[in-house]
Amino acid sequence: MKSLGRYGLLAAMALGVAGCAQTASLEVWRPAQIDLPGVERIAVLDFQGLENTGQIARSAVSAEMFNNGFYQIVDPAELTGHVAQASATDPPTEGTIQAAVEAARNVGVDALLVGDVLKYQVVDDERNHSHVHFINGGGGDFDHGMTDSFVGVGFENRYVETREATVALGFRLIDTRSQDVIATREVSFTQVGQRVNGQGYIPARETALAAATARCADEVVATLAPHRRPIRVTLVGGGLGKAGSEIRRGNKLAVAGDWNTAAGHWEAALESDPASHAAMHNLALAREAAGDYASACELLGRAIEIKPKQQYLEIKRDIDDRERQYRRAMAQHEHRSKPESAAKLEPMSGVALLPDGPGEFRR
């Protein structure tokens, strides 16, 4: 066996210590896709849809908006006695929506969210796939010049079961003061489950539809309210010595989601080695997780000065972009409750109050 030599052994040890690149989940702020200054209280009515799908959609959207916490969600029951809602199978009439808007305004609701269930279906598919492949082999007594070979044919059967649950929602947000449509959007999501030769997972139809509905409701909230989203970030591994050991401890904690404790280990790594650009990079991500973008940018700037790696340059650009989105989201929090901002609401150009029918929005 050939010896690695002193330097080769050290290099192998360093690679073993560093290990593969690790990724961790980091939550960041995203602003609402549509600014709605002055809107604080929203009531969500049953969506129009077949059977009970409209009630299911309203329940999912209301739950997501309540969990988000940006708006105060008013129970539609507060409008009872003021408006008679259309049945779940009928499209809303002009009188129904006008009465609902007036009732909402009378109880201090700023906006009314109405919509349609455009799609709510599950499609199952079962297919058999057969694959033919050739097998080449050989052997023999090579020392005496005797060999043999063979060609075989193999068959592979794959029985594939697939379930796709698709939900699509269209919604409009109506300003109760002006009766204008101030936000409108369509969202959809498909939940896919698959099993191959009995291996895999196919959720129950109701479970798949519930998951797809929840994702649609999440997109409704992303349209109307600032929100947090998880992203994946890559951590830099540690080298040899005490600093490297502290970096690895911090990385393990960050992967588990404990950014605060991880930051303490990366700070200890910098105390041991003030020039550890890896510790600076990882600590910058921890500062971002805490919302301290100034410290995050300062740490990354120092890391780039020591070692201008492409990874550091790219993450610096990413953090700069995420900071802009964070500041916009915080500005939306600040401006929403200012009374003077309510007058700045403008209707969406060319959008009528009423739909022509379920899923068909006039423009």
Side-chain angles (χ1 to χ4, degrees):
M1 178 178 177
K2 185 180 293 185
S3 173
L4 288 172
R6 177 185 176 187
Y7 295 107
L9 180 60
L10 289 174
M13 289 174 61
L15 286 172
V17 167
C20 298
Q22 292 178 295
T23 63
S25 179
L26 176 70
E27 281 202 336
V28 297
W29 277 98
R30 293 286 186 260
Q33 297 168 20
I34 300 175
D35 288 325
L36 299 170
V39 175
E40 295 187 50
R41 305 183 79 226
I42 294 178
V44 183
L45 299 187
D46 283 352
F47 282 46
Q48 298 300 307
L50 296 176
E51 298 178 346
N52 64 338
T53 59
Q55 297 172 355
I56 293 172
R58 182 198 66 79
S59 178
V61 170
S62 295
E64 286 294 330
M65 294 189 74
F66 178 82
N67 291 334
N68 174 269
F70 186 68
Y71 297 105
Q72 180 182 347
I73 304 305
V74 179
D75 190 336
E78 293 190 25
L79 309 183
T80 302
H82 297 274
V83 58
Q85 294 191 44
S87 68
T89 57
D90 296 330
T93 65
E94 182 175 359
T96 300
I97 290 188
Q98 294 291 353
V101 169
E102 182 178 350
R105 183 172 61 248
N106 290 339
V107 296
V109 173
D110 301 313
L112 204 63
L113 193 149
V114 299
D116 296 281
V117 179
L118 308 178
K119 184 176 287 188
Y120 195 86
Q121 68 178 26
V122 175
V123 176
D124 290 330
D125 182 64
E126 298 180 9
R127 298 188 183 186
N128 272 311
H129 299 273
S130 297
H131 176 65
V132 179
H133 57 276
F134 294 95
I135 305 171
N136 294 311
D141 187 348
F142 294 98
D143 291 335
H144 295 84
M146 295 183 294
T147 63
D148 61 75
S149 63
F150 65 86
V151 176
V153 179
F155 295 91
E156 180 184 7
N157 289 318
R158 298 175 74 238
Y159 177 58
V160 182
E161 304 166 87
T162 304
R163 169 164 289 166
E164 292 187 358
T166 301
V167 175
L169 306 177
F171 72 90
R172 291 155 292 140
L173 191 68
I174 304 170
D175 184 349
T176 61
R177 294 155 293 189
S178 66
Q179 301 188 28
D180 290 321
V181 174
I182 53 178
T184 182
R185 191 66 55 88
E186 292 184 6
V187 297
S188 65
F189 185 79
T190 298
Q191 179 79 13
V192 180
Q194 192 172 81
R195 192 159 48 214
V196 179
N197 292 337
Q199 301 297 314
Y201 173 67
I202 292 185
R205 296 171 68 89
E206 295 77 10
T207 301
L209 285 168
T213 303
R215 289 295 297 270
C216 285
D218 187 58
E219 285 303 311
V220 173
V221 172
T223 302
L224 302 176
H227 52 282
R228 293 173 71 85
R229 282 284 186 268
I231 62 171
R232 301 300 299 182
V233 292
T234 301
L235 303 169
V236 178
L240 301 173
K242 182 179 179 181
S245 179
E246 292 289 355
I247 289 173
R248 288 190 294 278
R249 291 193 184 100
N251 289 3
K252 185 176 180 179
L253 288 164
V255 170
D258 189 353
W259 286 94
N260 188 48
T261 308
H265 287 285
W266 295 326
E267 289 168 349
L270 283 175
E271 290 179 5
S272 176
D273 179 7
S276 174
H277 52 84
M280 294 175 191
H281 170 276
N282 295 349
L283 186 56
L285 293 174
R287 294 290 184 258
E288 181 184 13
D292 187 354
Y293 282 92
S295 178
C297 291
E298 188 270 334
L299 283 162
L300 269 175
R302 286 166 52 193
I304 291 170
E305 287 181 3
I306 295 171
K307 193 174 185 64
K309 294 174 59 175
Q310 185 64 28
Q311 178 182 353
Y312 297 167
L313 296 170
E314 290 176 358
I315 196 64
K316 176 66 166 59
R317 289 193 295 269
D318 291 343
I319 288 182
D320 287 342
D321 178 66
R322 294 197 290 263
E323 181 181 12
R324 285 190 291 270
Q325 297 193 60
Y326 167 81
R327 294 192 179 281
R328 186 181 167 196
M330 294 304 102
Q332 289 174 341
H333 272 281
E334 179 183 355
H335 295 158
R336 183 205 58 175
S337 58
K338 290 185 177 180
E340 65 273 14
S341 64
K344 298 179 182 178
L345 282 175
E346 296 181 357
M348 301 196 69
S349 176
V351 179
L353 180 63
L354 297 175
D356 291 327
E360 300 176 4
F361 295 93
R362 285 206 305 265
R363 293 187 179 275

